[in-house]
Amino acid sequence: MELSCPVPRAETERVLLGHGSGGQLMAELLGKVITPGLVAPGPAEDAALVPFGDGQAVLSTDTFVVTPRFFPGGDIGSLAVHGTVNDLAMRGATPVALCLAYVLEEGLPIDELARITASVAVAAHSAGVPVVTGDTKVVGRGAADGIYVTTTGLGAPLPGAEVSAARGRPGDVVLLSGPIGCHGTAILSAREDLGFDSEIRSDSQPLNRLVARMVAAAGPELHALRDPTRGGLASALNELAAASGVGIEIEEAALPVPPPVAAACELLGLDPLHVANEGCLVALVAPPAAGAVLAAMRDGPEAPDARVIGAVTAARAGRVTARTLVGSTRVVDMLVGEQLPRIC
Amino acid sequence: MELSCPVPRAETERVLLGHGSGGQLMAELLGKVITPGLVAPGPAEDAALVPFGDGQAVLSTDTFVVTPRFFPGGDIGSLAVHGTVNDLAMRGATPVALCLAYVLEEGLPIDELARITASVAVAAHSAGVPVVTGDTKVVGRGAADGIYVTTTGLGAPLPGAEVSAARGRPGDVVLLSGPIGCHGTAILSAREDLGFDSEIRSDSQPLNRLVARMVAAAGPELHALRDPTRGGLASALNELAAASGVGIEIEEAALPVPPPVAAACELLGLDPLHVANEGCLVALVAPPAAGAVLAAMRDGPEAPDARVIGAVTAARAGRVTARTLVGSTRVVDMLVGEQLPRIC
């Protein structure tokens, strides 16, 4: 029997920072308080498929509260565009339109608002998606922290795409598009002025064209996609394992952790598997298509270092395990509480 | 030449509460800082029409920051559903799906979150639209005020609808669906504990079925729709006049201001024409169809008191005037600054 420390009742009755972590606490809040009666039950996906006209539309929404607002490799504006474009892409959709909603704190310098808005425009243009409508609210000093940005994306399914978090199958190859840990350590470094700035930049980038190449290469043999944002690669893999009812085994030696990120994580006591990313993805692909998908991934600017990091198993369904450098096997858990608030 | 008081330069370089008013200051912020380079120029609409598949999709997004979170006639959850459903309706669209994004302040009682979420579910069900996806972020104490809710709606154009803020024509009849001033005075009363609570309730309600009846009755002769939310009826009419390049003349005697609202406005020094509404709409309709539209409006629970309040003129393009009770004519201006922050 698993023992856990008792949590004072009063604490459980209020929202905690950990409820926003992307980890287990958040899953509990969603499962017990928010989802019941609101959203039809189903596998946890980054975006929703909706019948529309004669076909289907894909929708995804995200609020961005990252602090600081400007960080190495991006800002809250570009991040808000990339985050939603990528959530659409993880469902096999190409972005068609973005909606933008601001909450501004009284006193925000207008020039910061202008810079962030320009960054939204550049990021949207570079991802090839128009911003079609928006909303602006202002709250008093102390009722927000500068600016919060909500982006909602409308997407159209890519022809041939059949991507779902629930479609992972035993034997699937697990692919990772690029290095992990950059976004979270860049934010932390910028926030705490730790001096990694020159070495670590957020990986924030749009992944829609990468996914289009992968779908073109594999069609329905591309089973599942996930971008390991809040909660990191560990949480993304656990969500895929749970939604597909399979086990996932990864090779620690295959994980691309840039040396400055590894050093920062060691200094800060973080596991790179739990650190947020904003510009990479993990894919579960049927073995016959894996080579073609890998080649398609590398054939573009987003994923020159794409690689195989593991395989899907029938055994240990719902669990993620890692073969360590010394040959043993360890369980890779979801992040439980809050590692780093306001990372996105 | 019009004189204006000099504004200290430093003040103009920061976001002010008045920038969120729905009035002139907000229009300036949007026009000078947010819209250029971001959204293609065009008439100010409540929702955007986007080419999608073989047809068109309609999108609208809004963040709700109302305080208090619970008020007579609704709460932030039901308001967030009605607000976005209504913005879709003002573009002649029926709601197909809603996205929901929360920003939660650490310390928010979980039971309030549960009540608000239940209210979202009830309001969405009653408007006949599913909530298909969402997002939850948590920020530290003092970085938000309890909960902010962003809803984004996907809509499908109603068959026969050709509704745009720019389609008002001289001669059009101006229709109003119901009493004005209820939402703003209800919020103010709840906020300041002024004791009007028993008499005044927000008019917050979904207007999608009302609009469907109007479109069915008039087709393309229903020219323009607007829900007079932030900035009130005065701002809504001014926006229609500006977008259509026409004048609008209303009869003060025809405006339905409930006596408790009139009393509250007198006490507080507010003009009911500037007070926010969340459950009524104003329509510009070609004269031959006006009778049928009025009958269709009254044939349902949303607008039993629908009425003619004025007419569209070729003269005084871009201006709204009111014939007063004593027979004189006055200009009805947009709200300039901030009358009542965080009204929605």
Side-chain angles (χ1 to χ4, degrees):
Chain A
M1 188 186 124
E2 217 174 23
L3 284 178
S4 62
C5 300
V7 178
R9 178 88 179 128
E11 274 302 288
T12 63
E13 290 179 336
R14 290 186 175 270
V15 170
L16 309 174
L17 271 180
H19 282 129
S21 64
Q24 261 180 36
L25 259 183
M26 183 167 168
E28 280 173 30
L29 184 75
L30 291 177
K32 289 184 187 161
V33 180
I34 296 183
T35 311
L38 192 59
V39 179
E45 305 275 9
D46 283 329
L49 227 69
V50 180
F52 190 81
D54 296 332
Q56 290 189 303
V58 182
L59 287 170
S60 184
T61 194
D62 254 314
T63 301
F64 294 82
V65 297
V66 64
T67 179
R69 298 189 275 282
F70 301 91
F71 48 83
D75 58 55
I76 193 171
S78 57
L79 186 64
V81 172
H82 297 158
T84 289
V85 163
N86 293 350
D87 278 348
L88 293 175
M90 297 310 115
R91 204 67 207 270
T94 188
V96 171
L98 280 184
C99 305
L100 179 72
Y102 285 156
V103 174
L104 309 179
E105 185 190 12
E106 181 189 14
L108 176 75
I110 295 274
D111 89 285
E112 285 202 29
L113 176 61
R115 280 170 65 198
I116 289 165
T117 302
S119 177
V120 167
V122 168
H125 184 261
S126 121
V129 57
V131 175
V132 297
T133 190
D135 180 50
T136 303
K137 292 294 190 316
V138 181
V139 298
R141 281 171 205 266
D145 185 11
I147 179 170
Y148 299 147
V149 181
T150 303
T151 46
T152 306
L154 169 67
L158 287 161
E162 280 184 44
V163 175
S164 161
R167 286 195 69 231
R169 295 287 172 271
D172 280 358
V173 179
V174 183
L175 303 176
L176 179 66
S177 71
I180 59 170
C182 300
H183 179 72
T185 48
I187 295 295
L188 199 55
S189 164
R191 200 181 295 173
E192 309 293 346
D193 206 7
L194 294 176
F196 311 137
D197 308 44
S198 58
E199 299 173 280
I200 305 181
R201 293 167 56 84
S202 168
D203 60 342
S204 178
Q205 64 173 338
L207 300 174
N208 51 314
R209 296 192 181 93
L210 170 66
V211 168
R213 295 198 303 274
M214 295 168 74
V215 169
E221 299 209 306
L222 176 63
H223 289 162
L225 291 169
R226 200 76 159 187
D227 56 341
T229 54
R230 276 187 290 179
L233 184 60
S235 295
L237 291 172
N238 270 283
E239 288 160 4
L240 289 175
S244 293
V246 296
I248 294 180
E249 188 174 70
I250 58 173
E251 299 283 339
E252 260 189 6
L255 293 180
V257 183
V261 169
C265 285
E266 192 159 321
L267 186 70
L268 299 165
L270 301 176
D271 182 342
L273 280 167
H274 284 153
V275 176
N277 312 279
E278 292 290 346
C280 65
L281 61 79
V282 63
L284 309 183
V285 186
V293 171
L294 203 51
M297 291 170 81
R298 289 175 178 157
D299 186 27
E302 308 93 341
D305 299 320
R307 64 186 65 193
V308 177
I309 61 163
V312 175
T313 63
R316 294 187 292 271
R319 286 241 151 184
V320 179
T321 51
R323 289 242 303 245
T324 67
L325 300 177
V326 296
S328 63
T329 296
R330 71 174 177 103
V331 171
V332 177
D333 267 329
M334 276 183 92
L335 186 61
V336 175
E338 182 54 81
Q339 185 189 56
L340 197 54
R342 299 183 53 192
I343 194 76
C344 59
Chain B
M1 191 186 122
E2 217 173 22
L3 285 178
S4 62
C5 300
V7 178
R9 178 84 181 132
E11 273 303 289
T12 64
E13 290 179 334
R14 290 185 174 269
V15 170
L16 308 175
L17 271 180
H19 282 129
S21 64
Q24 261 181 35
L25 260 184
M26 183 167 167
E28 281 173 29
L29 184 75
L30 292 177
K32 289 183 188 162
V33 180
I34 297 184
T35 310
L38 193 59
V39 179
E45 305 276 8
D46 284 329
L49 226 70
V50 180
F52 190 82
D54 296 334
Q56 289 190 302
V58 182
L59 288 169
S60 184
T61 195
D62 254 316
T63 301
F64 293 82
V65 298
V66 65
T67 179
R69 299 189 274 281
F70 301 91
F71 49 82
D75 57 56
I76 193 171
S78 57
L79 186 65
V81 171
H82 297 158
T84 289
V85 163
N86 293 351
D87 278 348
L88 292 174
M90 295 312 116
R91 203 67 206 271
T94 188
V96 171
L98 279 184
C99 306
L100 178 73
Y102 285 155
V103 174
L104 309 179
E105 184 191 13
E106 181 189 15
L108 176 74
I110 296 275
D111 90 286
E112 284 201 29
L113 176 61
R115 281 170 65 198
I116 289 165
T117 302
S119 176
V120 167
V122 168
H125 184 262
S126 120
V129 56
V131 175
V132 297
T133 189
D135 179 51
T136 302
K137 290 294 189 317
V138 181
V139 298
R141 283 173 205 265
D145 185 11
I147 178 170
Y148 299 147
V149 181
T150 304
T151 46
T152 306
L154 169 67
L158 287 161
E162 279 184 44
V163 175
S164 161
R167 286 194 69 231
R169 295 288 172 271
D172 280 358
V173 179
V174 182
L175 303 176
L176 178 67
S177 72
I180 60 170
C182 299
H183 178 73
T185 48
I187 294 295
L188 199 54
S189 164
R191 201 182 294 174
E192 309 292 345
D193 206 7
L194 293 176
F196 311 136
D197 309 42
S198 57
E199 300 173 280
I200 305 181
R201 294 166 57 82
S202 168
D203 60 341
S204 179
Q205 62 173 339
L207 300 175
N208 52 315
R209 294 192 182 92
L210 170 66
V211 168
R213 295 199 303 275
M214 295 168 74
V215 168
E221 299 209 304
L222 177 63
H223 289 162
L225 291 168
R226 200 77 160 188
D227 56 341
T229 54
R230 279 188 288 180
L233 184 60
S235 295
L237 291 172
N238 271 283
E239 287 161 3
L240 290 175
S244 294
V246 296
I248 294 181
E249 188 174 69
I250 59 172
E251 299 283 339
E252 260 188 7
L255 293 180
V257 182
V261 169
C265 285
E266 193 160 318
L267 186 69
L268 300 165
L270 302 175
D271 182 343
L273 280 167
H274 284 152
V275 176
N277 311 279
E278 292 290 347
C280 65
L281 62 79
V282 62
L284 309 183
V285 185
V293 172
L294 203 51
M297 291 171 80
R298 290 176 178 156
D299 186 27
E302 307 93 341
D305 300 318
R307 65 186 65 193
V308 176
I309 61 162
V312 175
T313 64
R316 292 187 294 268
R319 287 241 148 184
V320 179
T321 51
R323 290 241 304 241
T324 65
L325 300 177
V326 296
S328 62
T329 296
R330 70 174 177 103
V331 171
V332 177
D333 268 328
M334 276 184 91
L335 187 61
V336 174
E338 183 53 85
Q339 185 189 58
L340 196 54
R342 298 182 56 191
I343 194 77
C344 60

